[in-house]
PDB file of all heavy atoms in Angstrom:
ATOM      1  N   ILE A1232      84.029 101.760 120.713  1.00 98.00           N
ATOM      2  CA  ILE A1232      84.659 101.231 121.916  1.00 98.00           C
ATOM      3  C   ILE A1232      85.637 102.301 122.385  1.00 98.00           C
ATOM      4  O   ILE A1232      86.493 102.756 121.605  1.00 98.00           O
ATOM      5  CB  ILE A1232      85.404  99.915 121.643  1.00 98.00           C
ATOM      6  CG1 ILE A1232      84.422  98.827 121.196  1.00 98.00           C
ATOM      7  CG2 ILE A1232      86.174  99.475 122.877  1.00 98.00           C
ATOM      8  CD1 ILE A1232      83.359  98.476 122.213  1.00 98.00           C
ATOM      9  N   ALA A1233      85.496 102.709 123.652  1.00 98.00           N
ATOM     10  CA  ALA A1233      86.382 103.728 124.205  1.00 98.00           C
ATOM     11  C   ALA A1233      87.030 103.208 125.479  1.00 98.00           C
ATOM     12  O   ALA A1233      86.382 102.529 126.278  1.00 98.00           O
ATOM     13  CB  ALA A1233      85.600 105.010 124.497  1.00 98.00           C
ATOM     14  N   ILE A1234      88.298 103.515 125.651  1.00 98.00           N
ATOM     15  CA  ILE A1234      88.992 103.184 126.892  1.00 98.00           C
ATOM     16  C   ILE A1234      89.344 104.497 127.580  1.00 98.00           C
ATOM     17  O   ILE A1234      90.037 105.353 126.996  1.00 98.00           O
ATOM     18  CB  ILE A1234      90.259 102.349 126.636  1.00 98.00           C
ATOM     19  CG1 ILE A1234      89.879 101.037 125.944  1.00 98.00           C
ATOM     20  CG2 ILE A1234      90.990 102.064 127.946  1.00 98.00           C
ATOM     21  CD1 ILE A1234      91.052 100.177 125.565  1.00 98.00           C
ATOM     22  N   CYS A1235      88.836 104.658 128.793  1.00 98.00           N
ATOM     23  CA  CYS A1235      88.966 105.927 129.506  1.00 98.00           C
ATOM     24  C   CYS A1235      89.758 105.785 130.795  1.00 98.00           C
ATOM     25  O   CYS A1235      89.823 104.706 131.399  1.00 98.00           O
ATOM     26  CB  CYS A1235      87.579 106.491 129.832  1.00 98.00           C
ATOM     27  SG  CYS A1235      86.584 106.861 128.372  1.00 98.00           S
ATOM     28  N   GLU A1236      90.337 106.878 131.218  1.00 98.00           N
ATOM     29  CA  GLU A1236      91.059 106.917 132.485  1.00 98.00           C
ATOM     30  C   GLU A1236      90.077 106.861 133.657  1.00 98.00           C
ATOM     31  O   GLU A1236      89.014 107.475 133.617  1.00 98.00           O
ATOM     32  CB  GLU A1236      91.870 108.210 132.582  1.00 98.00           C
ATOM     33  CG  GLU A1236      92.941 108.361 131.520  1.00 98.00           C
ATOM     34  CD  GLU A1236      93.684 109.683 131.615  1.00 98.00           C
ATOM     35  OE1 GLU A1236      93.278 110.542 132.428  1.00 98.00           O
ATOM     36  OE2 GLU A1236      94.660 109.852 130.875  1.00 98.00           O
ATOM     37  N   GLY A1237      90.426 106.119 134.685  1.00 97.00           N
ATOM     38  CA  GLY A1237      89.655 106.116 135.912  1.00 97.00           C
ATOM     39  C   GLY A1237      88.474 105.156 135.910  1.00 97.00           C
ATOM     40  O   GLY A1237      88.171 104.494 134.911  1.00 97.00           O
ATOM     41  N   ILE A1238      87.809 105.096 137.070  1.00 98.00           N
ATOM     42  CA  ILE A1238      86.648 104.229 137.257  1.00 98.00           C
ATOM     43  C   ILE A1238      85.392 105.104 137.356  1.00 98.00           C
ATOM     44  O   ILE A1238      85.328 106.023 138.180  1.00 98.00           O
ATOM     45  CB  ILE A1238      86.791 103.390 138.544  1.00 98.00           C
ATOM     46  CG1 ILE A1238      88.091 102.567 138.490  1.00 98.00           C
ATOM     47  CG2 ILE A1238      85.590 102.482 138.735  1.00 98.00           C
ATOM     48  CD1 ILE A1238      88.197 101.617 137.317  1.00 98.00           C
ATOM     49  N   PHE A1239      84.415 104.831 136.535  1.00 98.00           N
ATOM     50  CA  PHE A1239      83.188 105.618 136.499  1.00 98.00           C
ATOM     51  C   PHE A1239      82.322 105.307 137.725  1.00 98.00           C
ATOM     52  O   PHE A1239      82.045 104.143 138.014  1.00 98.00           O
ATOM     53  CB  PHE A1239      82.383 105.321 135.233  1.00 98.00           C
ATOM     54  CG  PHE A1239      82.931 105.946 133.982  1.00 98.00           C
ATOM     55  CD1 PHE A1239      84.140 105.510 133.431  1.00 98.00           C
ATOM     56  CD2 PHE A1239      82.245 106.962 133.336  1.00 98.00           C
ATOM     57  CE1 PHE A1239      84.637 106.075 132.275  1.00 98.00           C
ATOM     58  CE2 PHE A1239      82.730 107.530 132.166  1.00 98.00           C
ATOM     59  CZ  PHE A1239      83.936 107.087 131.642  1.00 98.00           C
ATOM     60  N   GLU A1240      81.885 106.344 138.399  1.00 96.00           N
ATOM     61  CA  GLU A1240      80.947 106.143 139.512  1.00 96.00           C
ATOM     62  C   GLU A1240      79.581 105.743 138.963  1.00 96.00           C
ATOM     63  O   GLU A1240      78.933 104.828 139.476  1.00 96.00           O
ATOM     64  CB  GLU A1240      80.828 107.431 140.328  1.00 96.00           C
ATOM     65  CG  GLU A1240      79.892 107.316 141.522  1.00 96.00           C
ATOM     66  CD  GLU A1240      79.844 108.583 142.341  1.00 96.00           C
ATOM     67  OE1 GLU A1240      80.687 109.480 142.119  1.00 96.00           O
ATOM     68  OE2 GLU A1240      78.944 108.685 143.212  1.00 96.00           O
ATOM     69  N   LYS A1241      79.177 106.418 137.889  1.00 97.00           N
ATOM     70  CA  LYS A1241      77.921 106.089 137.214  1.00 97.00           C
ATOM     71  C   LYS A1241      78.260 105.234 135.994  1.00 97.00           C
ATOM     72  O   LYS A1241      78.936 105.697 135.077  1.00 97.00           O
ATOM     73  CB  LYS A1241      77.197 107.369 136.797  1.00 97.00           C
ATOM     74  CG  LYS A1241      75.795 107.152 136.287  1.00 97.00           C
ATOM     75  CD  LYS A1241      75.133 108.493 135.959  1.00 97.00           C
ATOM     76  CE  LYS A1241      73.717 108.277 135.425  1.00 97.00           C
ATOM     77  NZ  LYS A1241      73.073 109.585 135.074  1.00 97.00           N
ATOM     78  N   LYS A1242      77.812 103.990 135.976  1.00 97.00           N
ATOM     79  CA  LYS A1242      78.262 103.021 134.979  1.00 97.00           C
ATOM     80  C   LYS A1242      77.624 103.199 133.600  1.00 97.00           C
ATOM     81  O   LYS A1242      78.077 102.592 132.633  1.00 97.00           O
ATOM     82  CB  LYS A1242      78.013 101.599 135.477  1.00 97.00           C
ATOM     83  CG  LYS A1242      78.685 101.294 136.819  1.00 97.00           C
ATOM     84  CD  LYS A1242      80.180 101.582 136.805  1.00 97.00           C
ATOM     85  CE  LYS A1242      80.817 101.260 138.161  1.00 97.00           C
ATOM     86  NZ  LYS A1242      82.252 101.630 138.216  1.00 97.00           N
ATOM     87  N   SER A1243      76.599 103.988 133.508  1.00 98.00           N
ATOM     88  CA  SER A1243      76.001 104.299 132.207  1.00 98.00           C
ATOM     89  C   SER A1243      75.341 105.663 132.295  1.00 98.00           C
ATOM     90  O   SER A1243      74.999 106.127 133.390  1.00 98.00           O
ATOM     91  CB  SER A1243      74.973 103.232 131.796  1.00 98.00           C
ATOM     92  OG  SER A1243      73.885 103.217 132.702  1.00 98.00           O
ATOM     93  N   GLY A1244      75.190 106.287 131.142  1.00 98.00           N
ATOM     94  CA  GLY A1244      74.567 107.597 131.162  1.00 98.00           C
ATOM     95  C   GLY A1244      74.605 108.256 129.801  1.00 98.00           C
ATOM     96  O   GLY A1244      75.042 107.663 128.801  1.00 98.00           O
ATOM     97  N   THR A1245      74.165 109.507 129.751  1.00 98.00           N
ATOM     98  CA  THR A1245      74.102 110.276 128.512  1.00 98.00           C
ATOM     99  C   THR A1245      74.657 111.675 128.770  1.00 98.00           C
ATOM    100  O   THR A1245      74.341 112.300 129.786  1.00 98.00           O
ATOM    101  CB  THR A1245      72.661 110.393 127.997  1.00 98.00           C
ATOM    102  OG1 THR A1245      72.160 109.085 127.698  1.00 98.00           O
ATOM    103  CG2 THR A1245      72.596 111.251 126.736  1.00 98.00           C
ATOM    104  N   ARG A1246      75.475 112.136 127.868  1.00 97.00           N
ATOM    105  CA  ARG A1246      76.025 113.490 127.950  1.00 97.00           C
ATOM    106  C   ARG A1246      75.492 114.296 126.770  1.00 97.00           C
ATOM    107  O   ARG A1246      75.601 113.874 125.612  1.00 97.00           O
ATOM    108  CB  ARG A1246      77.549 113.439 127.909  1.00 97.00           C
ATOM    109  CG  ARG A1246      78.259 114.790 127.763  1.00 97.00           C
ATOM    110  CD  ARG A1246      78.092 115.677 128.971  1.00 97.00           C
ATOM    111  NE  ARG A1246      78.814 116.940 128.780  1.00 97.00           N
ATOM    112  CZ  ARG A1246      78.622 118.016 129.526  1.00 97.00           C
ATOM    113  NH1 ARG A1246      77.750 117.993 130.521  1.00 97.00           N
ATOM    114  NH2 ARG A1246      79.324 119.114 129.297  1.00 97.00           N
ATOM    115  N   VAL A1247      74.889 115.454 127.073  1.00 97.00           N
ATOM    116  CA  VAL A1247      74.364 116.349 126.045  1.00 97.00           C
ATOM    117  C   VAL A1247      74.984 117.727 126.240  1.00 97.00           C
ATOM    118  O   VAL A1247      74.971 118.272 127.350  1.00 97.00           O
ATOM    119  CB  VAL A1247      72.830 116.467 126.113  1.00 97.00           C
ATOM    120  CG1 VAL A1247      72.322 117.388 124.998  1.00 97.00           C
ATOM    121  CG2 VAL A1247      72.169 115.095 126.006  1.00 97.00           C
TER     122      VAL A1247
END
Side-chain angles (χ1 to χ4, degrees):
I1232 297 299
I1234 300 176
C1235 298
E1236 298 178 353
I1238 303 301
F1239 284 69
E1240 181 177 349
K1241 189 177 179 181
K1242 303 306 180 185
S1243 64
T1245 298
R1246 171 67 179 165
V1247 181

